[in-house]
Amino acid sequence: MYLYKATCPEIPNPKQKSSRCQGGIQVQGLSQGRLVKQAPAGPGSRPYAPLMLWTANQPNRGAQLKQLEEFLNFHSLSLQDTVKSHTGMVYRNLGKSGLRVSCLGLGTWVTFGGQITDEVAEQLMTIAYESGVNLFDTAEVYAGGRAEIILGNIIKKKCWRRSSLVITTKLYWGGKAETERGLSRKHIIEGNNALTGDFPPLASFSKFSFASLCPSGLKGSLQRLQMEYVDVVFANRPDSNTPMEEIVRAMTYVINQGMVMYWGTSRWTAMEIMEAYSVARQFNLIPPVCEQAEYHLFQREKVEVQLPELYHKIGVGAMTWSPLACGIITGKYENGIPEASRASMKSYQWLKEKIVSEDGRKQQAKLKELNHIAEKLGCTLPQLAVAWCLRNEGVSSVLLGTSNPDQLTENLGAIQILPKMTSHVVSDIDHILGNRPCTKKDYRS
């Protein structure tokens, strides 16, 4: 490398390039007095300019792109031969981190290890993966840990490259013991290392005996997933019993140990997220990059008012869940509670009460009006609802929860509707819903 500091008369015009020769090696002089060496051409020279000279030698983006293609072709790669180009999937950064996630992800809440069989779970993951989905979300509490085992077994069976996946899990509810829940350093890190190898068949355990057998904490999740690391671990709710510094230090520790790449929050308030960020900056620790929040046509305040401010100030993104409001937006509850639906399950009595309430009936009336907009756009109501969530640029990814392949295929089709979500369409939806939250910009205007 050549270090060179130019005096004022020697600085060339930005529109010109000067060159001089030093020791038989041509040195390209650039504006701002920066020099880059270039080896002389020879029989073994490459048919493209060195990567460091692209910006200097190419006056326009088209020429740079062409030279980039030549560089990739030389290494048997291609700009077109990507999952994105084959599937049409849209990828976004998770907050202001460098992690690229599919704008649609597959969640495992209620379904994996509970509402659906392992065979259906494998079908869903296969459809999602082949459609370009790289984000799969689970938690230690889902089905008492069985959701993590099913997810890990399918990935292992499919032999998918671990580097092509973004696996996220959540910690808080780990077990019945007082030390097996919360966000203490002990619970975040802990796992029973005695449980190694393949787990016994799930059918041999009842729901409660299985939950008592499986270790809690991140190490326990890694054992169930049969992975060395997860990409993101979420604190599944705030913990008032644990100091914030202890939580942030524990998350920083598991990242430094290679057990996880990033950490985030779920169901945290904006104030709690800001406190975690402040603690991280004060003690030179790692702050959260993402908040998991509920977001759909009838739940808007947090994602549209609070999280955008956090994103611009500290880079925290949004990964949203329940885009169809636990199935309410699909319209299947218009004429009652179907037998195989989520609201018919004993543990979801609260959902049934919500549907049959006066507010629930008002929501069903609004959905009928929204269905007319969906028909004009040539899509279904669920596709419109998912595309409506995606039209928010502050949303990094929307987690889908489906119980059969047809539902998943339909929901994935929302990506095709996204370009049709114009400001006029969004305005019509806001007019029907009548629940658009007021932002600071609205107050200023």
Side-chain angles (χ1 to χ4, degrees):
M1 177 181 288
Y2 292 84
L3 300 178
Y4 175 70
K5 182 178 180 181
T7 60
C8 291
E10 294 175 313
I11 297 178
N13 190 309
K15 296 182 179 179
Q16 299 175 349
K17 300 184 181 71
S18 62
S19 62
R20 62 184 67 202
C21 192
Q22 297 181 3
I25 297 180
Q26 185 180 10
V27 180
Q28 192 74 19
L30 306 178
S31 61
Q32 301 177 350
R34 183 165 56 90
L35 292 180
V36 183
K37 69 177 182 178
Q38 181 180 6
S45 62
R46 296 177 178 177
Y48 53 84
L51 184 60
M52 65 180 72
L53 293 179
W54 285 351
T55 305
N57 293 342
Q58 302 302 332
N60 57 71
R61 182 173 176 82
Q64 293 179 16
L65 185 60
K66 182 178 180 181
Q67 199 146 38
L68 176 60
E69 290 177 346
E70 293 177 356
F71 173 80
L72 293 175
N73 289 336
F74 182 83
H75 294 283
S76 301
L77 298 173
S78 172
L79 287 174
Q80 288 73 35
D81 189 18
T82 62
V83 174
K84 179 178 180 180
S85 61
H86 290 312
T87 63
M89 177 57 66
V90 177
Y91 297 89
R92 298 173 178 175
N93 285 55
L94 185 62
K96 288 189 178 180
S97 74
L99 183 62
R100 299 284 285 177
V101 296
S102 53
C103 68
L104 293 176
L106 183 64
T108 60
W109 179 41
V110 182
T111 52
F112 282 45
Q115 194 176 12
I116 63 176
T117 64
D118 294 2
E119 290 74 18
V120 174
E122 182 177 341
Q123 293 176 21
L124 295 177
M125 286 192 63
T126 302
I127 293 172
Y129 185 79
E130 292 178 350
S131 299
V133 172
N134 69 355
L135 174 61
F136 298 91
D137 177 75
T138 187
E140 65 172 351
V141 70
Y142 291 172
R146 288 176 292 180
E148 289 180 323
I149 292 182
I150 294 171
L151 181 66
N153 285 341
I154 294 173
I155 292 174
K156 184 177 181 180
K157 178 181 178 180
K158 290 291 184 177
C159 297
W160 291 332
R161 298 190 315 280
R162 179 63 184 87
S163 57
S164 69
L165 303 171
V166 177
I167 306 299
T168 68
T169 192
K170 295 181 282 294
L171 302 176
Y172 189 94
W173 305 105
K176 296 181 179 180
E178 192 68 17
T179 54
E180 294 177 332
R181 57 183 62 186
L183 298 176
S184 67
R185 178 182 174 91
K186 175 181 175 64
H187 177 60
I188 288 175
I189 300 172
E190 199 168 42
N192 185 358
N193 291 322
L195 280 174
T196 58
D198 295 333
F199 280 86
L202 298 182
S204 62
F205 298 99
S206 68
K207 178 178 180 180
F208 298 102
S209 65
F210 183 87
S212 62
L213 172 68
C214 290
S216 64
L218 183 56
K219 289 182 179 179
S221 291
L222 294 179
Q223 291 174 25
R224 289 187 290 272
L225 289 166
Q226 303 175 67
M227 296 179 181
E228 296 180 354
Y229 68 94
V230 291
D231 296 282
V232 187
V233 62
F234 290 95
N236 205 7
R237 56 163 292 175
D239 184 4
S240 59
N241 294 321
T242 304
M244 186 62 73
E245 181 183 345
E246 180 177 344
I247 297 172
V248 180
R249 284 191 181 277
M251 291 298 187
T252 300
Y253 173 81
V254 294
I255 290 176
N256 291 337
Q257 292 297 311
M259 291 188 284
V260 62
M261 302 297 182
Y262 306 87
W263 79 278
T265 58
S266 179
R267 301 173 183 266
W268 285 34
T269 65
M271 186 177 296
E272 289 163 339
I273 297 172
M274 199 66 192
E275 182 185 356
Y277 176 84
S278 300
V279 168
R281 286 291 173 254
Q282 179 181 357
F283 297 104
N284 196 28
L285 303 173
I286 300 174
V289 299
C290 183
E291 159 71 7
Q292 268 199 16
E294 183 179 6
Y295 185 49
H296 50 75
L297 293 168
F298 304 117
Q299 183 78 27
R300 306 177 58 174
E301 179 77 21
K302 183 176 184 179
V303 174
E304 295 187 9
V305 178
Q306 301 175 19
L307 293 187
E309 189 171 357
L310 287 179
Y311 173 79
H312 292 296
K313 286 185 176 180
I314 62 177
V316 172
M319 183 185 296
T320 66
W321 48 275
S322 195
L324 302 179
C326 294
I328 293 177
I329 297 176
T330 62
K332 63 183 177 182
Y333 297 117
E334 180 180 356
N335 300 317
I337 310 296
E339 291 185 3
S341 65
R342 185 174 300 184
S344 65
M345 301 171 66
K346 291 183 179 180
S347 57
Y348 285 85
Q349 186 66 26
W350 60 269
L351 180 59
K352 181 179 179 180
E353 295 174 355
K354 182 178 181 180
I355 293 171
V356 300
S357 67
E358 183 178 353
D359 289 339
R361 289 193 295 270
K362 291 180 180 179
Q363 290 178 353
Q364 292 299 323
K366 292 178 179 180
L367 291 176
K368 289 182 180 180
E369 296 184 58
L370 291 175
N371 202 39
H372 296 310
I373 296 180
E375 292 175 354
K376 292 180 181 179
L377 297 180
C379 65
T380 63
L381 185 57
Q383 289 175 334
L384 177 67
V386 175
W388 179 87
C389 295
L390 289 176
R391 112 279 178 208
N392 188 332
E393 295 180 352
V395 174
S396 299
S397 186
V398 175
L399 296 176
L400 304 175
T402 59
S403 57
N404 63 70
D406 291 337
Q407 288 180 358
L408 179 58
T409 302
E410 177 186 2
N411 294 343
L412 290 172
I415 296 179
Q416 310 302 324
I417 311 303
L418 187 57
K420 300 180 181 180
M421 297 297 294
T422 62
S423 58
H424 179 71
V425 172
V426 174
S427 178
D428 289 344
I429 294 175
D430 287 338
H431 179 72
I432 294 173
L433 295 175
N435 63 352
R436 181 175 179 269
C438 294
T439 62
K440 289 185 177 181
K441 184 184 296 184
D442 297 327
Y443 289 122
R444 287 195 296 266
S445 60

